[in-house]
């Protein structure tokens, strides 16, 4: 094993232990939670090592960084998640490698993703990103639709050729009433997911929790956690 391989293996084992402990504490089966490793700012060689260690879900947040990395790893059976704020001029590129876009937060993005998915002749998974700190009708500072905008966006994805509504995603807010209250934020996301699933039972993905708060997300009922730093190390400022 190279130094980097053993470092990633150790980090991954520690994160795996945390997820398993959180599942046990919540009375959930370990299989109910999928680990997505956020590889942003780290090289394709790390993605390859992670794949060798059993990782099958990776996430990126910037197309410029992600597109060449995904191309360099095209031979690996990986599911690529796009989790960053997405400009419509990047959509065609992102749809070329992403299996799931977790940051769908406006109607214009839905139509753009749909057109690109149709052109590629493929079905793209979509999560609606919810900004729990956004006011009605607004979007969050880091993207995301306000909770009262979910239904309109979900209906748009339902009606969009090439798109499949998979569920909801959030990032715990840094400001507003949920600042520092991750568990409350994730409980709120779960309530919104329950409401969504009442009419769309297949949209059952709940993506919440990062390196610092994955335990709270698992306790609340998240099905997917997105972990970067705890696996790969602290990133340089950008990203
Ligand atoms: C970077 C990022 C993560 C991972 O954050 P860490 O704190 O490094 O675990 C998760 N979700 C999104 C949307 C991100 O941009």
């Amino acid at each position: 094993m190279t130094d980097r391989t053993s470092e990633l293996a150790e980090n991954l084992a520690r994160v795996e232990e945390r997820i398993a402990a959180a599942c046990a504490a919540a009375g959930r089966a370990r299989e109910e939670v999928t680990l997505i490793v956020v590889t942003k700012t780290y090289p394709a060689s790390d993605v390859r090592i992670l794949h060798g260690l059993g990782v099958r879900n990776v996430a990126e947040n910037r197309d410029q960084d992600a597109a060449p990395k995904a191309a360099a790893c095209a031979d690996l059976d990986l599911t690529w998640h796009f989790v960053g704020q997405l400009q419509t001029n990047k959509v065609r590129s992102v749809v070329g490698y992403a299996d799931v876009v977790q940051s769908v937060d406006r109607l214009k993005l839905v139509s753009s993703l749909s057109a690109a998915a149709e052109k590629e002749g493929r079905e793209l998974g979509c999560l609606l990103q919810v900004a729990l700190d956004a006011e009605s009708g607004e979007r969050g500072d880091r993207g995301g639709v306000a909770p009262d905008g979910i239904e309109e966006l979900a209906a748009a994805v339902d009606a969009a050729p090439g798109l499949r509504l998979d569920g909801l995603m959030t990032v715990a807010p840094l400001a507003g009433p949920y600042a520092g209250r991750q568990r409350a934020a994730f409980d709120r996301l779960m309530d919104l997911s329950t409401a969504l699933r009442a009419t769309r039972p297949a949209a059952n993905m709940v993506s919440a929790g990062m390196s610092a708060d994955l335990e709270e997300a698992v306790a609340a009922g998240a099905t997917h956690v997105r972990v970067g730093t705890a696996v790969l190390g602290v990133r340089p400022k950008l990203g």
Side-chain angles (χ1 to χ4, degrees):
M1 268 202 209
T2 65
D3 285 355
R4 185 58 171 160
T5 303
S6 40
E7 183 184 358
L8 292 181
E10 277 169 32
N11 291 348
L12 206 50
R14 224 171 293 131
V15 167
E16 181 51 47
E17 263 174 43
R18 286 176 60 192
I19 297 172
C23 285
R28 303 181 64 193
R30 171 64 190 85
E31 302 76 54
E32 291 178 39
V33 179
T34 300
L35 168 65
I36 301 172
V37 179
V38 184
T39 48
K40 64 189 183 194
T41 76
Y42 285 95
S45 55
D46 280 352
V47 177
R48 198 164 282 281
I49 291 171
L50 289 166
H51 181 271
L53 295 169
V55 170
R56 291 296 177 268
N57 286 269
V58 294
E60 290 283 331
N61 73 332
R62 292 174 76 228
D63 178 59
Q64 301 92 305
D65 195 24
K69 214 182 289 185
C73 296
D75 59 312
L76 305 177
D77 58 327
L78 284 167
T79 298
W80 290 82
H81 300 256
F82 192 85
V83 299
Q85 290 189 51
L86 181 52
Q87 305 303 322
T88 47
N89 65 349
K90 303 288 188 207
V91 159
R92 273 198 72 182
S93 172
V94 168
V95 169
Y97 56 86
D99 300 288
V100 180
V101 172
Q102 298 204 1
S103 44
V104 177
D105 62 357
R106 58 198 193 279
L107 292 171
K108 196 170 165 224
L109 192 51
V110 173
S111 48
S112 180
L113 286 167
S114 173
E118 280 232 280
K119 197 167 246 167
E120 291 267 325
R122 53 187 301 253
E123 188 179 65
L124 182 72
C126 293
L127 299 190
L128 308 183
Q129 182 181 346
V130 182
L132 295 167
D133 55 345
E135 303 291 336
S136 173
E138 304 276 300
R139 289 200 300 127
D141 289 342
R142 293 183 292 170
V145 66
D148 68 353
I150 292 174
E151 180 55 37
E152 182 186 35
L153 214 46
V157 175
D158 287 342
L163 304 186
R164 180 187 69 239
L165 184 63
D166 283 343
L168 301 180
M169 179 273 244
T170 204
V171 178
L174 296 171
Y178 288 107
R181 300 172 58 227
Q182 282 90 339
R183 179 60 197 272
F186 298 146
D187 283 344
R188 174 87 172 109
L189 184 72
M190 280 309 299
D191 289 345
L192 297 166
S193 167
T194 302
L196 181 73
R197 281 178 286 125
T199 50
R200 299 170 180 90
N204 59 5
M205 275 178 71
V206 181
S207 174
M210 319 200 293
S211 294
D213 55 19
L214 73 88
E215 282 84 1
E216 286 86 351
V218 170
T223 62
H224 291 70
V225 292
R226 310 178 307 269
V227 180
T229 352
V231 173
L232 288 139
V234 177
R235 289 178 294 275
K237 261 286 172 261
L238 229 183

